[in-house]
Amino acid sequence: MPSPTPTPAPTPANAHPAAPAPTTTGPSEPATAGPATVPSATTTTVPRLLRRPWTFLVANAVLMGVTTFLASHALDRPVADPEGSFLGPSWVRLPVLCLAAIVADLLPRALWVGRLHPARCVEAARERLRTHWTGARLLLVTVGISCFYVVYVAYRNLKSLLPLIREDKFDSELWRMDRLLFLGHDPATVLQDLLGRDLSAHVLSTVYLTYIPLVAILVTVWLVWSRNIGYGWWFVTAQGVAWTLGTVSYYLLPTLGPGIMYPWLASDLVPNGTSDLMDSLVASRHGFLWGDGDYQGVAGFASLHTAIALLWALMARHTVRSRLVQRIFWVNFALTVVATLYFGWHYIADDVAGAVIAVVAFRVGAWATGHRLRRRRDPDGEPGREHREVPAAP
């Protein structure tokens, strides 16, 4: 809630949004006589549409979807759903996660508040539906899930088409840059010598593979449980921007990655899930290029593991009050970067580019959904951050 002083107070990270207010206020009209100007439908509708928090998200989804269908049609390739193994195809997986999150939100709360009394539990569930599952929340969840699905599947398909559109690769240049930065050594070899090739491989593999289900799970969490609905729009919009920029980066600088281009870099590791995943991706690439496969998932520059993990950390830093949760995301980001180099998934330049994508996506998402970012100092004197939300009409 804004303070009674002329300067509005910053919106807390876990506070319910205040009643919708206009995003902008026009200047006062001069006190001069003259005919009143009646704005036309065009001058009022278009700016109002552009102020919607979902406008950029929907436009990005349309752009990615249309590009995917045009590219697939031109190359005579089907549009694939590449990750149908996790709770079924994407069009089933994301709604299932959303419905599961709704149940997980309602059921424990109803049982706790109602103290297992049937009538009180039903009343508690109704109260939660009335106060939390408003029309604005349902719009966020429906549009957010749908647009994320379109962008993510489009990203995976455009990534798959990469070797059919660009055959050149820049692995040798980035590999020489890595060796220059590491004084003649490969980053993967240095990290394996430093951390070991047994227990560390299993730990980093777990971190790397956990990313895959977290992509969909965290979108659901932010859309369903963000107390401030604006944070949900910010999160899903930034995610869409990151996947889009990642797709562009694949085509700007095509690479396979050091572990695939130079397989001996990871040949001494103990068998682990990440190494199995790399072998599977190589096999699917061969089937796609020289067999009857419909999909391949190999592209190195930039690292979307790094980009999305950093974006999670930035969003948690600015929208989640718990310092413990923030630190967990930052630790996850650091371990993810190490894992990309340790297993030979990426070159150093890939991770740097991924970090740039995350920062750009974070800021574009903030701008597109009406958030303002500025630096400040926390009350305890430590450097902090503040953002002031400019509510946008749903």
Side-chain angles (χ1 to χ4, degrees):
M1 296 290 295
S3 66
T5 61
T7 302
T11 303
N14 66 341
H16 288 281
T23 57
T24 57
T25 54
S28 300
E29 293 294 332
T32 57
T37 302
V38 179
S40 66
T42 302
T43 59
T44 57
T45 303
V46 173
R48 189 174 301 168
L49 177 63
L50 294 178
R51 289 199 302 268
R52 304 292 188 184
W54 44 260
T55 301
F56 194 96
L57 173 66
V58 171
N60 186 44
V62 170
L63 174 64
M64 288 288 283
V66 170
T67 302
T68 298
F69 278 105
L70 291 177
S72 298
H73 177 74
L75 297 170
D76 195 24
R77 289 282 182 169
V79 176
D81 184 11
E83 286 192 322
S85 60
F86 180 62
L87 294 180
S90 296
W91 63 271
V92 172
R93 177 170 66 252
L94 292 173
V96 164
L97 284 172
C98 183
L99 290 174
I102 294 175
V103 173
D105 176 56
L106 291 178
L107 187 58
R109 183 183 300 269
L111 294 176
W112 176 261
V113 174
R115 296 295 189 268
L116 302 181
H117 187 279
R120 288 197 295 265
C121 288
V122 171
E123 180 60 28
R126 288 176 176 172
E127 176 66 14
R128 180 64 172 176
L129 286 171
R130 185 185 65 81
T131 58
H132 186 76
W133 293 99
T134 60
R137 174 74 59 182
L138 292 174
L139 177 68
L140 167 64
V141 170
T142 303
V143 175
I145 290 289
S146 301
C147 290
F148 173 77
Y149 162 70
V150 172
V151 171
Y152 184 70
V153 172
Y155 153 81
R156 297 301 300 268
N157 279 270
L158 291 172
K159 180 181 182 180
S160 177
L161 299 175
L162 175 60
L164 302 180
I165 298 175
R166 291 205 63 177
E167 297 181 359
D168 52 336
K169 301 176 185 64
F170 296 87
D171 286 89
S172 60
E173 291 83 355
L174 297 187
W175 178 65
R176 287 196 293 268
M177 185 184 299
D178 277 6
R179 290 181 63 85
L180 177 64
L181 293 173
F182 273 68
L183 304 177
H185 301 281
D186 292 294
T189 303
V190 172
L191 288 173
Q192 291 166 19
D193 290 341
L194 180 65
L195 302 176
R197 292 173 170 82
D198 193 346
L199 178 60
S200 296
H202 288 295
V203 172
L204 292 174
S205 176
T206 300
V207 172
Y208 197 86
L209 295 178
T210 301
Y211 161 93
I212 298 172
L214 280 180
V215 167
I217 290 172
L218 289 181
V219 167
T220 305
V221 167
W222 249 272
L223 296 184
V224 172
W225 280 301
S226 289
R227 294 189 179 184
N228 187 325
I229 289 178
Y231 294 161
W233 289 117
W234 185 1
F235 183 90
V236 73
T237 301
Q239 287 281 308
V241 173
W243 294 113
T244 301
L245 293 178
T247 305
V248 173
S249 71
Y250 291 155
Y251 283 85
L252 289 177
L253 201 67
T255 63
L256 297 179
I260 295 176
M261 196 69 177
Y262 312 105
W264 63 84
L265 293 176
S267 59
D268 293 336
L269 293 175
V270 67
N272 60 85
T274 298
S275 297
D276 293 340
L277 175 61
M278 185 176 291
D279 293 340
S280 173
L281 289 176
V282 171
S284 66
R285 176 182 172 83
H286 291 168
F288 178 80
L289 293 176
W290 302 293
D292 56 357
D294 291 332
Y295 173 80
Q296 72 86 30
V298 175
F301 182 92
S303 171
L304 267 295
H305 264 72
T306 295
I308 300 302
L310 177 55
L311 185 54
W312 291 339
L314 289 171
M315 289 303 307
R317 177 76 175 92
H318 285 258
T319 66
V320 177
R321 172 169 291 184
S322 170
R323 293 295 180 89
L324 175 60
V325 172
Q326 294 177 19
R327 288 171 184 144
I328 289 173
F329 277 108
W330 283 111
V331 169
N332 175 74
F333 164 64
L335 292 177
T336 298
V337 173
V338 172
T340 63
L341 301 174
Y342 178 91
F343 291 106
W345 283 107
H346 292 288
Y347 304 100
I348 294 174
D350 300 348
D351 286 328
V352 173
V356 172
I357 286 174
V359 173
V360 172
F362 173 74
R363 291 191 170 274
V364 170
W367 167 80
T369 55
H371 293 80
R372 302 292 183 267
L373 300 171
R374 63 184 181 184
R375 298 291 301 179
R376 70 172 175 83
R377 296 186 69 85
D378 287 335
D380 57 5
E382 295 180 359
R385 84 281 177 270
E386 173 184 296
H387 74 271
R388 177 172 59 87
E389 183 182 357
V390 181

